[in-house]
Amino acid sequence: MIAVETRTYRLGEYHPFEGGGRQFLYLVPAGAIFEMDTAVSTVIDAFNDGEVTHEQLVESLMEREFLYDDASELIGELFLTRIILASNAGSDASSASQEPLDPPPANFPLQSLVMNLTNQCNLSCQYCYEFGEDKVATPDGKPKFMDLETAKASVNFLLAQSSGRKAVHITFFGGETLMNFPLLKQVVTYANEQASAQGRSIDFSLTTNATLLTPAIIEFLSDNRIGVTVSMDGPPELHDQLRVFANGRGSYDVIAPRVKALIQGHRTRPITARVTLTNGVTDVVRIYRHLKDELGFHEIGFAPVTTSPDRLYAINELGMHGVLEQFHVLAEEYLEYALRGEMHGFTNVSDTIAELYQGVNKSHPCGAGLGLVGVGPSGDIAPCHRFVDSDTHSLGNIATGIDREKQSDFLERGHIHAKYDCHSCWARPLCAGGCHHEAFVRYGDTGHPNLHYCDWIRDWTDTCLRIFGAISAQNPEFLEKFAERKAL
Ligand code: SF4
Ligand code: SF4
């Protein structure tokens, strides 16, 4: 290490943004947000012509009436937070812009298990990743419905593999989850018994197409505080384009009354809609208004369909640009709500705000294969629900345990270190290369970065940063309330 006074500095890696009339820096190696005041911007301006020495930086600050000691102290702080880096010294120069993120430990404790109760579905949505043209599942010869023994073994597996965690999570999934509702009920009882015997708790949620909801099911979900996400794509003329029964009939008329009953009858958790955007179903604002104002969903999240670009329902570049513009409209609305102290239901903003609040800096895009696994009806373990029943992606079986070799191969390939294209991208603390499943569908490799949407991701991340900055400048209490509500 060399003496501070003889250091030469260069700028670190950050993304500047403005929010609520204030200037901020998003510090990429740390995934942290730093407010830029006059002193910090004086230091940054000093780099206009390239590298600068410690003494030159001190002088720039003294010209702004800083005392020598205060200037040195500020430079030291900026060095520690990696806004400026040493560029002329052996180990100090290890301050390359890439902050090494440790690989996760081999025995990283599980947090969530997605239990695919069945691989059968009573709808034939044309874009479905489980049944459509891009499917990775190989269900032939495997059970169609999970049995109680496999479900119990999955619960035991989750509890055994999550030691140290007081609370864990089970998400019920399908196929259509409610086609195996009798098993779901048994699992809730069993899992609660097992967890409470260990002084722990399990939180439950499910995803459903809502076609099979009945008053009795709604009562059970409410009584057991089970979170519900409904897959729904908007008003009938949009929803019915691809969410159809086997005979091609749209499912809107069947699900709308059931959704209303669910929202009215489920008293213990907010109800979320999950919208899949496809070619021709990109009118985000209209979909949001319908689901929020006409049906009464509490929260609505949107995701463009995961598919090869040549499918008819894939969204092209122009379509994605339109989606982004509409996301901006809802994002502005989100900000207006937040400044009034009100919650808005657009989860694409709230999920990112939650990550920014926590200073997330991801080694992997999501928990798949790490804190989360999916289990199929056969008991096969997959990185997440989207890989369930796929022989290529199996990580073992619930009866024999997780195959650590396969798991580490999946995680090593998905680690941000292995994604060289992402190393110079400022959005990587949140994106980390994007969904493994999408990467496989697009590039044939779960570890490939999703380079087809980088500009989109960076624009959207910048938008969320600006909203975060504006809220923290103008109504910081909202963020405290938000964090409390989301238990961050
Ligand atoms: S996939 Fe693209 S946007 Fe995401 S981290 Fe990599 S380079 Fe950045
Ligand atoms: S791999 Fe993709 S679908 Fe699976 S949990 Fe991660 S982001 Fe979600």
Side-chain angles (χ1 to χ4, degrees), residues 87 139 143 173 178 187 198 233 256 267 394 422:
S87 57
F173 217 88
L178 294 180
V187 173
Q198 298 180 16
D233 293 349
R267 299 166 308 278
S394 167
C422 303

Side-chain angles (χ1 to χ4, degrees), residues 114 129 274 306 365-369 372 383-387 410 434-439:
V114 185
Y129 60 82
R274 204 271 190 193
T306 300
C366 60
L372 172 149
C384 79
H385 55 292
R386 286 200 174 197
F387 292 107
F410 175 83
C435 170
H436 303 287
H437 175 264
E438 181 157 14

Side-chain angles (χ1 to χ4, degrees), residues 304-373:
V305 66
T306 300
T307 184
S308 310
D310 47 352
R311 305 281 180 244
L312 283 178
Y313 46 79
I315 309 178
N316 63 21
E317 208 173 314
L318 194 64
M320 285 300 288
H321 182 72
V323 168
L324 191 56
E325 282 187 345
Q326 299 214 18
F327 270 33
H328 287 162
V329 172
L330 289 183
E332 284 306 319
E333 196 175 277
Y334 186 104
L335 176 58
E336 286 165 22
Y337 272 55
L339 295 184
R340 292 200 300 266
E342 295 169 26
M343 296 290 167
H344 188 272
F346 186 33
T347 62
N348 295 68
V349 172
S350 51
D351 289 351
T352 309
I353 296 282
E355 293 187 326
L356 292 171
Y357 185 89
Q358 295 172 95
V360 161
N361 189 12
K362 297 178 185 172
S363 62
H364 293 81
C366 60
L370 191 59
L372 172 149
V373 291

Side-chain angles (χ1 to χ4, degrees), residues 416 419-434 448-458 461:
I416 191 71
K419 297 175 178 170
Y420 301 108
D421 293 290
C422 303
H423 289 184
S424 55
C425 172
W426 65 261
R428 69 180 184 279
L430 294 179
C431 172
H448 199 291
N450 284 286
L451 300 174
H452 52 284
Y453 59 28
C454 298
D455 288 343
W456 199 101
I457 289 288
R458 283 189 283 261
T461 308

Side-chain angles (χ1 to χ4, degrees), residues 135-177:
K135 76 168 186 170
V136 300
T138 43
D140 289 352
K142 296 175 190 163
K144 293 181 167 51
F145 292 87
M146 186 178 278
D147 61 21
L148 183 58
E149 193 190 336
T150 306
K152 283 183 172 177
S154 303
V155 172
N156 298 343
F157 175 81
L158 172 62
L159 289 169
Q161 298 294 323
S162 57
S163 63
R165 295 201 195 271
K166 189 100 177 101
V168 288
H169 189 96
I170 291 178
T171 298
F172 298 110
F173 217 88
E176 170 42 38
T177 315

Side-chain angles (χ1 to χ4, degrees), residues 172-192:
F172 298 110
F173 217 88
E176 170 42 38
T177 315
L178 294 180
M179 285 178 76
N180 203 357
F181 183 66
L183 180 65
L184 186 153
K185 282 174 77 170
Q186 289 172 298
V187 173
V188 170
T189 307
Y190 178 77
N192 279 334

Side-chain angles (χ1 to χ4, degrees), residues 96-110:
S97 59
Q98 305 305 319
E99 179 81 355
L101 285 172
D102 289 337
N107 56 352
F108 191 85
L110 273 186

